[in-house]
């Protein structure tokens, strides 16, 4: 008989890898909003007094827009999956290093520094505190009087 806890656990794992993606809004966090959003008017502009023929201008606009659209689609069709595989591999390696090396190393340093901190604190309490207390008692009877002479 299957354990219901394991069935729920498997379902959670499966759902995290097969979650629904939004095919309309493909940049929900807007990480590429102002980087690659380039239109014809952002690249090519003719100032007043220097205009090409209207037909050339319209054809240039159409050529730019269509070539950019199809070039991106062809490049993403050819290289999208291999590059996604490389990025997945890279972020998996980064996650692995962070989980298995960086965090344990930081935790180890924190533990060691706490140990050194206790030793340092003990030394200060043992040697410096009595010295400065004695120094304080020596100078506690010193009275300073300020007089203004005219």
């Amino acid at each position: 008989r299957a354990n219901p806890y394991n069935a729920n656990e498997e379902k959670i794992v499966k759902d995290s890898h097969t979650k629904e993606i939004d095919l309309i809004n493909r940049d929900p966090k807007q990480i590429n909003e102002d980087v690659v959003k380039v239109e014809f008017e952002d690249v090519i502009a003719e100032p007043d007094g220097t205009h090409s023929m209207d037909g050339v201008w319209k054809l240039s606009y159409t050529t730019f827009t269509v070539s950019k659209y199809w070039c991106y689609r062809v490049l993403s069709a050819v290289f999208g999956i291999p590059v996604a595989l490389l990025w997945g591999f890279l972020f998996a390696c980064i996650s692995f290093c962070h989980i298995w090396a960086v965090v344990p190393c930081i935790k180890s340093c924190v533990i060691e520094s706490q140990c050194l901190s206790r030793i340092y604190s003990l030394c200060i309490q043992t040697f410096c505190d009595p010295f400065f207390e004695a120094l304080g008692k020596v100078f506690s009877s010193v009275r300073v009087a300020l007089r203004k002479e005219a």
Side-chain angles (χ1 to χ4, degrees):
R1 183 174 141 159
N3 184 350
Y5 177 74
N6 288 342
N8 288 339
E9 192 174 285
E10 288 174 13
K11 182 174 175 36
I12 291 170
V13 169
K14 184 178 179 187
D15 287 347
S16 71
H17 294 296
T18 60
K19 74 176 190 174
E20 292 294 321
I21 60 170
D22 187 353
L23 293 176
I24 305 301
N25 182 12
R26 297 188 184 189
D27 191 7
K29 296 182 181 178
Q30 297 170 341
I31 61 173
N32 288 316
E33 189 61 29
D34 54 347
V35 178
V36 293
K37 198 174 185 179
V38 178
E39 299 296 330
F40 179 76
E41 298 84 10
D42 299 325
V43 178
I44 300 172
E46 292 180 332
D48 288 337
T50 310
H51 286 186
S52 60
M53 294 179 284
D54 291 347
V56 170
W57 187 251
K58 287 179 186 178
L59 189 58
S60 297
Y61 173 82
T62 304
T63 303
F64 176 90
T65 306
V66 171
S67 64
K68 184 182 91 162
Y69 175 81
W70 280 107
C71 184
Y72 177 79
R73 291 188 71 116
V74 169
L75 286 171
S76 62
V78 173
F79 298 109
I81 293 173
V83 170
L85 179 67
L86 290 173
W87 282 118
F89 179 76
L90 176 70
F91 282 105
C93 290
I94 291 170
S95 296
F96 178 83
C97 289
H98 190 78
I99 291 166
W100 292 98
V102 174
V103 171
C105 184
I106 290 171
K107 188 68 172 181
S108 172
C109 289
V110 167
I111 291 169
E112 290 300 320
S113 67
Q114 286 175 345
C115 178
L116 293 173
S117 169
R118 288 185 182 143
I119 292 169
Y120 176 76
S121 177
L122 183 63
C123 289
I124 294 295
Q125 290 171 358
T126 303
F127 301 109
C128 295
D129 284 356
F131 173 74
F132 286 114
E133 273 184 45
L135 215 57
K137 286 181 182 177
V138 165
F139 290 109
S140 67
S141 61
V142 173
R143 301 283 180 235
V144 176
L146 292 174
R147 284 189 257 176
K148 193 173 188 182
E149 295 184 23

